[in-house]
Amino acid sequence: MADGPSRDRPGVPGDEPPLEARPALAGERDRTAAGFTSIWETVHRGATHMGVRRSLRTLLKLNQKDGFDCPSCAWPDPDGRRKTAEFCENGAKAVASEAMTRQAGPEFFARHPVADLRRESDYWLDQQGRLTHPLVRRAGGTHYQPISWDEAFALVGRELNALGSADQASFYTSGRASNEAAFLYGLFARQFGTNNLPDCSNMCHESSGVGLNETIGVGKATVTIEDFAHADCIFVIGQNPGTCHPRMLTELQKAARNGCRIVSVNPLPETGMIRFKNPQEPLSLLGPGTEIACLFLPVRVNGDVALLKGIMKEMLAADRASGGRKLAREFIARHTEGFEALAADLEAESWERIVADSGVSRELIRRAADLALESQRMICCWAMGITQHKNGVANVQSIVNFALLRGQIGRRGAGLCPVRGHSNVQGDRTVGIWEKMSDAFLDALGKEFGFEPPRKHGFDTVQTIQAMHDGRVKVFVGLGGNFVAAAPDTHLTSEAMARCRLTVQIATKLNRGHLITGEQALLLPCLGRTEIDRQASGQQFVTVENTTGVVHTSRGVLEPASPHLRSEPAVVAGLAMATLGARSHLDWQSLIDDYDRIRDHIEPVVPGFAQYNRRVREPGGFYLPNSAREGTFATPSGRARFTVHPIPRRTLGPGQLLLTTLRSHDQFNTTIYGQDDRYRGISGGRRVVFLNPEDMRRLGIGQDQTVDLVSHFDGQRRRAERFRAVPYAIPPGCAAAYYPETNVLVPVAAVADGSNQPVSKSVVITLEAPARG
């Protein structure tokens, strides 16, 4: 790939955000999460974007049993009684963004050519408000223009039916889509004839699903939210709850107050894992807050296998010294396989390599091992800091090994918890959004709807990008999301989208992914989570699944932003009817008239959904079955598997650093709410790179110096321009910067072994003088 931004190359202008007009400022970071500042941000954003009364009405229904599910993260709601304000600052920002009164209607798009919109920042695009009408950019056109729904559906049907093969289309899903919309979407794609169903999980927790299914037979969390109150030790690994899952801090606070020892494993010390002032407790806001983590392990970027092997090596030595009384020997003998191979591998690993590659001292490793050995009920949580590496599956399976040593799966207060980052990403996968669903699922789907689903595995996200770029996929349909910004290798992904005949985006608001289009482009506006969904039989609700496998309802409370909006299920059904015609014997319109009928079809197809319509109407919903949570393992042998993994080789050359990408506290995924990150002391901009002070001295980089980040992969160079160097508490040889600005550095071919997930947390870079002044 050529060095330099794609917008300087013909054909794909503006495929990355513009450089900031003013540099970011680095100052003092907040040392306590939430508190008065969080309350102010919640009130300020709500009043600014929605108005005071509208904001109050909306937020009081957020995450309530008779309200709507937060459109941001997938952290579970309390099983029992809920607080009046059951939301966090970032959830309130997400609602304010979706429900803002500002609108981007046809007049807006008449004033702004697509080429001009490409030059605006992600933050500016989000601030323009809600989409109100279906829009089309015709071949050779410079603007989006209004189009009727019938014309839009007909255009999609013509283009899809003109393809030489159904596999020349790809149907992407964002985690925000409801179970009902996702199930219909997967059905539509398969009745059309393809399993090309990439989703955002391909980019976030694919490594978790692969790693867990191979070892414990279930690809989801094995805990409930109530387990956190009963745990006596919680390891939070490669995760930043304070920014990415802020409501998790409430459960960690409860656990800490109960005497639970919490361990934070992360390259950067994150504010949410240091102290927390709960906005729900007015008196505590005046004090210092609750200490969350009692131990911080500053692991190198991608040093987790080395660290976990070190902890387990200490645990194994202590067990042998005690005559076999420290590990769960009976559990290991009765319920697992592969222990002896793991033990031999741990004994053979050198401490010199463990300490060097993890970046954590042996003393800290020993302290972590002692906490794990003393624990009777331990939970291990993780997120993208574990999964987005070449050895992401090995990282996940190393955590499984760690939990199995003491039998910390399948009992109260203990288990594994991959924390999902988007509110229904797990539910979408459950109801069929995957490029390689099982034969059992496809058999049930075919039986329910009277057709033979395709059996050939489809394209995942990375394969879809490559297929579009190679001309093998000619139509891209996106059910939500910001594909161009979220995907790796921004330049190549942009080129790939531009080579399509048609790109279709179903969305609530404008984002960068709508501006890098195929020859023709449709922008189809849909209802948001906050809005009332009225169909022929009356008001509807949809359902979602959270991190712990609870399926529950979501009912919007606001009038739709425009009378021209359609619900996501209605848009999917419209596309299906226009495309499939008489080839589908399904009455798609009847499903939209009453969503109960969609759920009636899901029930016999997806295991665990018996009496779906009745059970989901119970306040709080229901838990899906989870064999590992119950202490049994759905593996071929019926046993949980210990696995052996080598410590990944660090192959940095002179002047090279290993970059991890991360969120600011003022964003959710690729949606940018503002230019500040108070938890890291950053204000007024996002193009900063966090560096170890010793590395800065060694490389001759001064504080606030402007540098370009250049990634290196397989002889290729990719460049992200003009980042301000900020000294930070990060291990030597490591760097960190915000995405999506740094996604341009992530090669599409750099993927995790076994899961094909992009390695956005392991990018080899150098720092260079700016290519442009």
Side-chain angles (χ1 to χ4, degrees), residues 1-2 4-7 9 11-12 15-16 461-472 483-485 487-500 516 713 716-718 743-750:
M1 171 104 5
S6 286
R7 64 168 175 260
R9 293 177 295 158
V12 195
D15 62 351
E16 69 174 12
T461 292
V462 165
Q463 292 163 340
T464 289
I465 295 167
Q466 293 167 329
M468 290 191 298
H469 199 265
D470 296 343
R472 289 175 289 132
F483 189 80
V484 167
D489 219 335
T490 309
H491 298 333
L492 185 140
T493 298
S494 299
E495 290 176 344
M497 294 291 278
R499 293 178 183 183
C500 289
I516 311 298
F713 176 79
Q716 304 165 355
R717 288 161 51 92
R718 292 165 173 80
N743 285 354
V744 66
L745 301 172
V746 183
V748 74

Coordinates of all heavy atoms in Angstrom, one line a residue, residues 1-2 4-7 9 11-12 15-16 461-472 483-485 487-500 516 713 716-718 743-750:
M1 N 0.9 -1.2 0.0 CA 0.0 0.0 0.0 C 0.9 1.2 0.0 O 1.9 1.3 0.7 CB -0.9 0.0 1.2 CG -1.6 1.3 1.4 SD -3.4 1.3 1.0 CE -3.8 -0.4 0.6
A2 N 0.6 2.2 -0.8 CA 1.4 3.4 -0.9 C 1.3 4.2 0.4 O 0.3 4.2 1.1 CB 0.9 4.2 -2.1
G4 N 1.0 7.6 2.5 CA 0.2 8.9 2.3 C -1.3 8.7 2.3 O -1.8 7.6 2.0
P5 N -2.0 9.7 2.6 CA -3.5 9.6 2.7 C -4.1 9.4 1.3 O -3.7 10.0 0.3 CB -3.9 11.0 3.3 CG -2.8 11.9 3.0 CD -1.5 11.1 2.9
S6 N -5.2 8.6 1.3 CA -5.8 8.3 0.0 C -6.5 9.5 -0.6 O -6.7 9.4 -1.8 CB -6.9 7.2 0.3 OG -6.4 6.0 0.5
R7 N -6.8 10.5 0.1 CA -7.5 11.6 -0.5 C -6.6 12.3 -1.5 O -7.1 13.1 -2.3 CB -8.0 12.6 0.5 CG -7.0 13.3 1.3 CD -7.7 14.5 2.1 NE -6.7 15.1 3.0 CZ -6.6 14.9 4.3 NH1 -7.4 14.0 4.8 NH2 -5.8 15.5 5.0
R9 N -5.0 10.6 -3.7 CA -5.0 9.7 -4.9 C -6.3 9.8 -5.6 O -7.3 9.9 -5.0 CB -4.7 8.2 -4.4 CG -3.3 8.1 -3.8 CD -3.1 6.7 -3.3 NE -4.0 6.4 -2.2 CZ -4.4 5.2 -1.9 NH1 -4.0 4.2 -2.5 NH2 -5.2 5.0 -0.8
G11 N -9.8 8.8 -7.3 CA -10.8 7.7 -7.2 C -11.4 7.6 -5.9 O -12.5 7.3 -5.7
V12 N -10.6 7.9 -4.8 CA -11.2 7.7 -3.5 C -10.8 9.0 -2.6 O -10.0 8.9 -1.7 CB -10.6 6.5 -2.8 CG1 -11.4 6.1 -1.6 CG2 -10.6 5.3 -3.7
D15 N -11.0 9.7 2.2 CA -11.4 8.4 2.8 C -10.8 8.4 4.3 O -10.9 7.3 4.9 CB -10.8 7.2 2.0 CG -9.3 7.2 1.9 OD1 -8.7 8.2 2.3 OD2 -8.8 6.2 1.4
E16 N -10.3 9.5 4.8 CA -10.0 9.5 6.2 C -10.3 10.9 6.7 O -10.4 11.9 6.0 CB -8.5 9.2 6.5 CG -7.5 10.2 6.0 CD -6.1 9.9 6.4 OE1 -5.9 8.8 6.9 OE2 -5.2 10.8 6.2
T461 N -16.0 -9.9 7.9 CA -15.7 -8.5 7.6 C -14.4 -8.3 6.8 O -14.4 -7.6 5.7 CB -15.6 -7.7 8.9 OG1 -16.9 -7.7 9.5 CG2 -15.1 -6.3 8.6
V462 N -13.3 -9.0 7.2 CA -12.1 -8.8 6.4 C -12.2 -9.4 5.0 O -11.8 -8.8 4.0 CB -10.9 -9.5 7.2 CG1 -9.7 -9.7 6.3 CG2 -10.6 -8.7 8.4
Q463 N -12.8 -10.6 4.9 CA -13.0 -11.2 3.6 C -13.9 -10.3 2.7 O -13.7 -10.3 1.5 CB -13.6 -12.6 3.8 CG -12.6 -13.5 4.4 CD -13.3 -14.8 5.0 OE1 -14.5 -14.8 5.2 NE2 -12.5 -15.8 5.1
T464 N -14.9 -9.7 3.3 CA -15.8 -8.8 2.5 C -15.0 -7.6 2.0 O -15.2 -7.2 0.8 CB -17.0 -8.3 3.4 OG1 -17.9 -9.4 3.7 CG2 -17.7 -7.2 2.7
I465 N -14.2 -7.0 2.8 CA -13.3 -5.9 2.3 C -12.5 -6.4 1.1 O -12.4 -5.7 0.1 CB -12.5 -5.3 3.4 CG1 -13.3 -4.7 4.5 CG2 -11.5 -4.3 2.9 CD1 -12.6 -4.4 5.8
Q466 N -11.8 -7.5 1.3 CA -10.9 -8.0 0.2 C -11.7 -8.3 -1.0 O -11.3 -8.1 -2.1 CB -10.2 -9.2 0.8 CG -9.2 -8.9 1.9 CD -8.7 -10.1 2.6 OE1 -9.4 -11.1 2.7 NE2 -7.4 -10.0 3.1
A467 N -12.9 -8.9 -0.8 CA -13.8 -9.3 -2.0 C -14.3 -8.1 -2.7 O -14.4 -8.1 -4.0 CB -14.9 -10.2 -1.5
M468 N -14.7 -7.0 -2.0 CA -15.1 -5.8 -2.7 C -13.9 -5.2 -3.4 O -14.1 -4.7 -4.6 CB -15.6 -4.8 -1.6 CG -17.0 -5.1 -1.0 SD -17.7 -3.8 -0.1 CE -16.5 -3.6 1.2
H469 N -12.7 -5.2 -2.8 CA -11.6 -4.6 -3.5 C -11.2 -5.4 -4.7 O -10.7 -4.8 -5.7 CB -10.4 -4.6 -2.5 CG -9.3 -3.7 -2.8 ND1 -8.2 -4.1 -3.5 CD2 -9.1 -2.4 -2.6 CE1 -7.4 -3.0 -3.7 NE2 -7.9 -2.0 -3.2
D470 N -11.4 -6.7 -4.7 CA -11.0 -7.5 -5.9 C -12.2 -7.6 -6.9 O -12.0 -8.2 -7.9 CB -10.7 -9.0 -5.4 CG -9.5 -9.0 -4.5 OD1 -8.7 -8.1 -4.5 OD2 -9.4 -10.1 -3.8
G471 N -13.3 -7.0 -6.6 CA -14.4 -7.0 -7.5 C -15.3 -8.3 -7.4 O -16.2 -8.5 -8.2
R472 N -15.1 -9.1 -6.4 CA -15.9 -10.3 -6.2 C -17.2 -10.0 -5.5 O -18.2 -10.7 -5.5 CB -15.2 -11.3 -5.4 CG -14.0 -12.0 -6.2 CD -13.2 -12.9 -5.4 NE -12.4 -12.2 -4.5 CZ -12.3 -12.5 -3.2 NH1 -13.0 -13.6 -2.7 NH2 -11.5 -11.9 -2.4
F483 N -19.1 1.5 8.6 CA -18.2 0.5 8.2 C -16.8 1.0 7.8 O -15.8 0.4 8.3 CB -18.8 -0.3 7.0 CG -18.1 -1.5 6.6 CD1 -18.2 -2.7 7.4 CD2 -17.2 -1.5 5.6 CE1 -17.5 -3.9 7.0 CE2 -16.5 -2.7 5.2 CZ -16.7 -3.8 5.9
V484 N -16.8 2.0 7.0 CA -15.5 2.5 6.6 C -14.6 3.0 7.7 O -13.4 2.7 7.8 CB -15.7 3.7 5.6 CG1 -14.4 4.4 5.3 CG2 -16.2 3.1 4.2
A485 N -15.2 3.6 8.7 CA -14.5 4.1 9.9 C -14.1 3.0 10.8 O -13.0 3.1 11.5 CB -15.2 5.2 10.6
A487 N -13.7 -0.3 10.2 CA -12.9 -1.4 9.6 C -11.4 -1.0 9.6 O -11.1 0.2 9.7 CB -13.4 -1.6 8.1
P488 N -10.6 -2.0 9.5 CA -9.1 -1.7 9.4 C -8.8 -1.2 8.0 O -9.6 -1.1 7.1 CB -8.5 -3.1 9.5 CG -9.6 -4.1 9.0 CD -10.9 -3.4 9.4
D489 N -7.6 -0.7 7.9 CA -7.0 -0.3 6.6 C -7.9 0.6 5.8 O -8.4 0.4 4.7 CB -6.8 -1.6 5.7 CG -5.5 -1.5 4.9 OD1 -5.0 -0.4 4.6 OD2 -4.9 -2.6 4.6
T490 N -8.1 1.8 6.4 CA -9.0 2.8 5.9 C -8.9 3.1 4.4 O -9.9 3.1 3.7 CB -8.9 4.1 6.7 OG1 -8.9 3.9 8.1 CG2 -10.0 5.1 6.3
H491 N -7.7 3.2 3.9 CA -7.5 3.5 2.5 C -8.0 2.4 1.6 O -8.8 2.6 0.7 CB -6.1 3.8 2.1 CG -5.5 5.0 2.9 ND1 -6.2 6.0 3.3 CD2 -4.2 5.3 3.2 CE1 -5.4 6.9 3.9 NE2 -4.2 6.5 3.9
L492 N -7.6 1.2 2.0 CA -8.0 0.0 1.1 C -9.5 -0.2 1.3 O -10.2 -0.5 0.3 CB -7.2 -1.2 1.6 CG -7.5 -2.5 0.7 CD1 -6.2 -3.2 0.5 CD2 -8.5 -3.4 1.4
T493 N -10.1 -0.1 2.5 CA -11.5 -0.3 2.7 C -12.3 0.8 1.9 O -13.3 0.4 1.2 CB -11.9 -0.2 4.2 OG1 -11.2 -1.2 4.9 CG2 -13.4 -0.3 4.4
S494 N -11.8 2.0 1.8 CA -12.5 3.0 1.0 C -12.4 2.7 -0.5 O -13.4 2.9 -1.2 CB -11.8 4.4 1.3 OG -11.9 4.7 2.6
E495 N -11.3 2.3 -0.9 CA -11.2 1.8 -2.3 C -12.1 0.7 -2.6 O -12.8 0.7 -3.7 CB -9.7 1.4 -2.6 CG -8.7 2.5 -2.7 CD -7.3 2.0 -2.9 OE1 -7.1 0.8 -2.7 OE2 -6.4 2.8 -3.2
A496 N -12.2 -0.2 -1.7 CA -13.1 -1.4 -1.9 C -14.6 -0.9 -2.0 O -15.3 -1.4 -2.9 CB -13.0 -2.3 -0.7
M497 N -15.0 0.0 -1.1 CA -16.4 0.5 -1.2 C -16.6 1.2 -2.5 O -17.7 1.1 -3.1 CB -16.7 1.4 0.0 CG -16.7 0.7 1.3 SD -18.0 -0.4 1.6 CE -19.3 0.8 2.1
A498 N -15.7 2.0 -2.9 CA -15.8 2.8 -4.2 C -15.9 1.9 -5.4 O -16.4 2.3 -6.5 CB -14.7 3.7 -4.3
R499 N -15.5 0.6 -5.3 CA -15.5 -0.3 -6.5 C -16.8 -1.0 -6.6 O -17.0 -1.8 -7.5 CB -14.3 -1.3 -6.4 CG -13.0 -0.6 -6.6 CD -11.8 -1.5 -6.4 NE -10.6 -0.8 -6.6 CZ -9.4 -1.4 -6.6 NH1 -9.3 -2.7 -6.4 NH2 -8.3 -0.6 -6.7
C500 N -17.7 -0.9 -5.6 CA -19.0 -1.5 -5.6 C -20.0 -0.8 -6.6 O -19.8 0.4 -6.9 CB -19.7 -1.5 -4.3 SG -18.9 -2.6 -3.0
I516 N -18.2 7.5 1.6 CA -17.4 6.7 0.8 C -18.3 5.6 0.2 O -18.6 4.6 0.8 CB -16.2 6.1 1.5 CG1 -15.5 7.1 2.4 CG2 -15.2 5.4 0.6 CD1 -14.9 8.3 1.7
F713 N 4.2 -3.4 7.9 CA 3.6 -4.8 7.8 C 4.0 -5.4 6.5 O 3.6 -4.8 5.4 CB 2.1 -4.8 8.0 CG 1.5 -6.1 7.9 CD1 1.5 -7.1 8.9 CD2 0.8 -6.5 6.7 CE1 0.9 -8.3 8.7 CE2 0.2 -7.7 6.5 CZ 0.3 -8.6 7.5
Q716 N 5.2 -3.2 3.8 CA 4.3 -2.1 3.4 C 4.3 -1.0 4.6 O 4.5 -1.3 5.7 CB 2.8 -2.5 3.3 CG 2.7 -3.6 2.2 CD 1.3 -4.3 2.3 OE1 0.6 -4.0 3.2 NE2 1.1 -5.3 1.4
R717 N 4.1 0.2 4.1 CA 4.0 1.4 5.1 C 2.7 2.1 4.9 O 2.2 2.3 3.8 CB 5.2 2.4 4.8 CG 6.6 1.9 5.2 CD 7.6 2.8 4.4 NE 7.4 4.2 4.6 CZ 8.0 5.0 5.5 NH1 8.7 4.4 6.4 NH2 7.7 6.3 5.6
R718 N 2.1 2.4 6.1 CA 0.9 3.1 6.1 C 1.1 4.3 7.1 O 1.7 4.1 8.1 CB -0.3 2.2 6.6 CG -0.7 1.2 5.6 CD -1.6 0.1 6.3 NE -2.1 -0.9 5.3 CZ -1.4 -1.9 4.8 NH1 -0.1 -2.1 5.2 NH2 -1.9 -2.7 3.9
N743 N -7.1 3.7 12.4 CA -7.4 2.5 11.7 C -6.7 2.5 10.3 O -6.6 1.4 9.8 CB -8.9 2.4 11.5 CG -9.6 2.0 12.8 OD1 -9.0 1.7 13.8 ND2 -11.0 2.0 12.8
V744 N -6.3 3.6 9.8 CA -5.6 3.7 8.6 C -4.3 2.9 8.7 O -3.7 2.4 7.7 CB -5.3 5.2 8.2 CG1 -4.4 5.8 9.2 CG2 -4.8 5.3 6.8
L745 N -3.8 2.7 9.9 CA -2.5 2.0 10.1 C -2.6 0.5 10.2 O -1.6 -0.2 10.1 CB -1.9 2.5 11.4 CG -1.6 4.0 11.5 CD1 -1.1 4.3 12.9 CD2 -0.5 4.4 10.5
V746 N -3.9 0.0 10.3 CA -4.1 -1.4 10.6 C -4.2 -2.2 9.2 O -5.2 -2.0 8.5 CB -5.3 -1.7 11.4 CG1 -5.5 -3.1 11.8 CG2 -5.3 -0.8 12.7
P747 N -3.3 -3.0 8.9 CA -3.4 -3.7 7.6 C -4.6 -4.7 7.6 O -4.8 -5.4 8.6 CB -2.1 -4.5 7.5 CG -1.2 -3.9 8.5 CD -2.1 -3.4 9.6
V748 N -5.3 -4.8 6.5 CA -6.4 -5.7 6.4 C -6.0 -7.1 6.5 O -6.7 -8.0 6.9 CB -7.3 -5.4 5.1 CG1 -6.5 -5.9 3.9 CG2 -8.7 -6.0 5.2
A749 N -4.8 -7.4 6.1 CA -4.2 -8.8 6.1 C -3.7 -9.2 7.4 O -3.3 -10.3 7.6 CB -3.2 -8.9 5.0
A750 N -3.6 -8.2 8.4 CA -3.0 -8.6 9.7 C -4.2 -9.0 10.6 O -5.0 -8.1 11.1 CB -2.3 -7.3 10.3

